[in-house]
Structure formats: C-alpha cells, structure tokens
Amino acid sequence: MKWGKTMTSHIASGSLRRFGWNDAFERLATGQAIDLDRVARVLSAQRDQFLVTDGQSERLCTPSGKLRHHRHLDYPVTGDWVLVDESVVQRVIPRKNTLCRGEAGSRGKQAGEVQREQPIAANIDTAFIVSGLDRDYNLRRIERFLTLVYNCGIAPVVVLTKADLHESPGAFLHEVERIAFGVPIVLTSTKDGRGLDELRIHLDVGQTVAMLGSSGAGKSSLANMLYGSDIRATAAVSESVGKGRHTTTSRELIAMPQGGILMDNPGIREIAFSKGGEGLAATFSDIRELAESCRFADCSHRHEPGCAVLRAAATGELLPERLENYRKMQREMEYVQARSEKSADCVEKERWRDVALEIRRMNKRKKY
Ligand SMILES: Nc1nc2c(ncn2[C@@H]2O[C@H](COP(=O)(O)OP(=O)(O)O)[C@@H](O)[C@H]2O)c(=O)[nH]1
Ligand SMILES: [Mg+2]
Ligand SMILES: [Zn+2]
C-alpha cells in the first residue's frame, strides 16, 4: 500500500500497469515531474466522489477545492489517471482520448448560454460496439457508434451478441461487413461461448476496452463470460432477484484475468460527437471515395449537379438510408463545431473579465 507512504517508483509503475498505465503515460509523468506514488486511476466517478486505485488497493477520494471551483479544468471521469494527495484528487493527467456525453434535447434550449462537451470516460484503447441480434439490431445505430468511436480516436470492434437466437447468424455478419469496412466483427453467444476468444485478444495486458451499446444488448453478460464469473449484474439477474440490485453504478473499470481493463459503462450510450474528429470520413469511406468524382470539390451531396454520391444513391449502389444517416450526423457535427467555436469565444470573454477585475484590484491597491 502506498497511499501516504512512499514506494520506489519502479514498484508504483508496476502496479499501475495492471490498470493500463504504459510507457506513453510514464513519459508524460516524467516530463511533468509527477511522482508515481501519487498516481491512481479512476474506477468510477460521481459528482463529488471518486473510486480510485493505485493498482494495489482502492479508495474513495474527493475533488480538491481547485477542481471544484474551476470548471474549465478537467474534472475526473472514469478511466482518468489522476494525481492524489491523501484522499483528495488534485488534478487529471492529460488524457489519451475522451468520450463525451451528449446533452439530449438541449439543441436550442439554452439560447445564448453555451454548454460544453461533457466528458464521461477517458483513456480507452478499444471500443466494443455491442449489438444484440434481436430487436436491438440496427445498422444505422452501428454506423453512428462507429463514427463516434473513430471521432474519439478509439479502435472499434463490432460485437454481435445473442448469435444463438439464429440458425445462420453469419448473414448478420456479412451485412455489418458492408457498412463497417475493415472493422473486426465478432459473433458471440453467452449460451455457447462462441466469439469470446476473439474478444479476449483485445483485452491484452494494459489495454482498456469500453463496451458501448443499448441497455439489454448483452454487455454485462459478456463481461461476466469474459471474466469467468459473475461480476456484473445482468438483466436476467435483476429480474430474478427483483429491483434494488443495480450494481451498474458501482465499479465501471474491471481488471480482467486476461490482463486488460474492461469498462462496462451504462451512461456511455449517450455519447455524442465531439468537434474536429475524423469519424465520418472513417466510417463512410465509401461516400468519401465517391465524393472524389463529384464535379465540385466542395460538393455537399445534397443538390449539386454532377454529384457522384447522389448518383450512387439513385442507382442503389449506395443505400439511401446510409446516405441519410451520414447527412444526419454531418448536421450534428456542424452543430457541435459551431457550438464549440461559440463556447471558445465565451471562455475567452470570461478570461478577460477575470483579467479586468484583477487589473482593477491592482489599481485600487496602488492608491493606498
Ligand atoms: N440468448 C441470449 N441471451 C443473452 C445473451 N447475452 C445476454 N442475453 C440476455 O440479454 C439480456 C440483457 O443482458 P445484459 O447483459 O444485462 O445486457 P446489458 O444491459 O447490455 O448489460 C439478459 O436477459 C441476458 O440474459 C446471449 O448471448 N444469448
Ligand atoms: Mg449491463
Ligand atoms: Zn457530391
């Protein structure tokens, strides 16, 4: 145990690695003269309380006053590496990537007031886009998740669960292959264990995998199968023991026997687009390729003459639903982009207001 006590940084680094610490973070820490004894990873985050681990033991921490009062600073989220003193989280170590929450229905609600992207999880290597081969199955939703995941700089894997419900689930696999170019697609079933070995590859030592998908997709069942015992309450369990057994809010990061770290995060299904990502281009590489043959370089593929994308949609080469989904996300991203420019402007104004106050204070002091 190293809380409060000191430990050689070599040992500290070793324990942290069990939770995904790696050379890149270590270089960063060394560059910022961060004492590894104070580093911990956030297993779950509530408003004023964080469950963190140093790789050896867990503890509950509170945010420092500085974190609490300066909302422009990174506020800890699940998956973050943080600096801890006693039981107080001092700050977040720069993130590799971030998943952000969308503000559902907030478009246009707050006229004038701009909300910023709200991070919900950080430092993720791979995302399992979990989709049940039941009513949950929806190609457009998979496209959406792919775009979101690419946008955040995370590698996607499409996981099609409940394969046991079908005679020949391979047909679904082929259908998804046509919208997820070059993405690993895995058919799984917790009834017969198929596909689990393919998933385990991604849970290699130091790798953090987040499971995204609708409620009921089979994420917790998958976590249990991969772990080898029931560590997550599934819908089946909740039903059998009745209400009041919702462990989904407790620990969101699980150190897996394979050496990797799995994030079963219920809130994650609300993720929204962040600005400036390459998600659309990566997910819709077919549209991007078609666009190269459009007459105009800045073709919006909506009404222009000589548009190769519209032509492909008309001939059926490109599915109209796919094009529609692309446009929908394009509009959302344009909105996010515009909003973030606006919010940068607000932040700048805020900063200047602070500077102006400071100057006024200094001038006052000078008078006496
Ligand atoms: N037939 C079948 N049912 C499954 C499979 N995986 C999960 N389920 C069921 O799907 C429901 C939702 O599973 P759960 O893991 O709680 O989903 P979560 O909300 O994504 O965590 C439960 O009733 C599970 O028993 C599977 O591979 N095959
Ligand atoms: Mg669950
Ligand atoms: Zn075009």
Side-chain angles (χ1 to χ4, degrees):
M1 240 309 281
K2 65 187 168 75
W3 306 104
K5 292 179 208 152
T6 45
M7 181 190 272
T8 72
S9 67
H10 170 72
I11 297 171
S13 166
S15 335
L16 293 173
R17 277 170 197 265
R18 179 68 194 92
F19 276 84
W21 187 254
N22 58 34
D23 290 343
F25 286 118
E26 187 125 346
R27 271 194 299 275
L28 218 141
T30 312
Q32 304 191 353
I34 288 171
D35 178 4
L36 291 187
D37 273 347
R38 296 168 56 206
V39 173
R41 194 164 196 195
V42 178
L43 299 175
S44 72
Q46 268 95 49
R47 207 181 159 71
D48 299 306
Q49 210 174 47
F50 313 104
L51 182 65
V52 309
T53 179
D54 63 354
Q56 302 203 319
S57 60
E58 300 176 354
R59 68 162 50 186
L60 279 170
C61 294
T62 52
S64 69
K66 193 171 167 194
L67 272 180
R68 237 187 284 242
H69 293 116
H70 297 268
R71 60 191 183 92
H72 60 276
L73 296 177
D74 285 332
Y75 202 75
V77 295
T78 303
D80 260 330
W81 290 103
V82 291
L83 229 68
V84 177
D85 275 331
E86 301 299 327
S87 288
V88 177
V89 173
Q90 301 295 343
R91 70 176 176 92
V92 171
I93 293 175
R95 295 163 177 154
K96 174 184 166 173
N97 53 34
T98 315
L99 275 176
C100 291
R101 187 195 302 276
E103 298 119 40
S106 66
R107 271 181 100 134
K109 216 191 240 169
Q110 67 288 4
E113 199 209 325
V114 182
Q115 263 180 290
R116 293 206 270 155
E117 289 166 353
Q118 193 190 344
I120 44 175
N123 303 319
I124 297 157
D125 299 294
T126 307
F128 287 173
I129 299 171
V130 183
S131 187
L133 291 182
D134 48 14
R135 279 170 54 194
D136 188 43
Y137 181 70
N138 181 329
L139 290 173
R140 304 287 84 81
R141 176 138 32 78
I142 295 174
E143 278 171 350
R144 186 180 171 82
F145 272 124
L146 279 172
T147 308
L148 288 164
V149 164
Y150 276 131
N151 235 20
C152 299
I154 301 169
V157 174
V158 176
V159 183
L160 302 174
T161 62
K162 314 188 190 185
D164 55 276
L165 297 178
H166 301 274
E167 282 282 322
S168 38
F172 292 96
L173 198 130
H174 294 309
E175 199 171 37
V176 175
E177 264 170 5
R178 290 207 294 274
I179 62 146
F181 316 110
V183 176
I185 305 163
V186 184
L187 277 173
T188 67
S189 166
T190 52
K191 299 267 186 269
D192 54 29
R194 86 185 85 169
L196 293 174
D197 285 338
E198 276 172 84
L199 294 185
R200 286 194 179 104
I201 297 168
H202 302 282
L203 283 162
D204 205 0
V205 180
Q207 293 292 303
T208 300
V209 177
M211 289 192 290
L212 317 182
S214 326
S215 168
K219 298 181 296 300
S220 298
S221 308
L222 214 53
N224 291 341
M225 281 293 278
L226 289 166
Y227 194 86
S229 66
D230 288 357
I231 38 148
R232 304 296 293 179
T234 62
V237 172
S238 311
E239 274 155 28
S240 64
V241 300
K243 291 218 172 75
R245 169 134 180 219
H246 278 283
T247 55
T248 32
T249 45
S250 59
R251 207 169 263 85
E252 286 165 355
L253 282 191
I254 307 151
M256 301 296 280
Q258 297 83 15
I261 300 98
L262 189 64
M263 190 185 292
D264 180 3
N265 191 335
I268 233 163
R269 66 200 160 90
E270 304 164 53
I271 47 175
F273 295 101
S274 52
K275 62 185 151 90
E278 295 297 312
L280 270 181
T283 307
F284 296 90
S285 55
D286 51 344
I287 294 182
R288 195 186 51 200
E289 270 165 38
L290 284 166
E292 281 168 17
S293 312
C294 292
R295 188 179 302 163
F296 304 110
D298 62 347
C299 186
S300 72
H301 324 306
R302 286 177 215 261
H303 43 68
E304 288 87 344
C307 173
V309 174
L310 288 175
R311 196 164 46 225
T315 62
E317 185 196 334
L318 174 66
L319 269 182
E321 305 93 272
R322 182 167 166 82
L323 178 57
E324 189 41 51
N325 204 24
Y326 171 81
R327 283 180 178 149
K328 192 170 154 238
M329 287 189 265
Q330 195 178 36
R331 280 195 297 271
E332 277 180 57
M333 277 198 196
E334 281 164 5
Y335 169 75
V336 168
Q337 188 68 40
R339 193 182 57 179
S340 78
E341 276 157 21
K342 208 163 142 200
S343 80
D345 200 43
C346 286
V347 170
E348 195 63 10
K349 269 188 202 139
E350 239 169 59
R351 215 164 64 86
W352 278 108
R353 198 181 49 214
D354 288 352
V355 171
L357 280 173
E358 186 58 28
I359 291 172
R360 216 177 303 159
R361 258 199 301 270
M362 283 187 336
N363 286 343
K364 252 188 201 160
R365 248 179 266 142
K366 262 190 236 158
K367 283 183 195 154
Y368 301 108

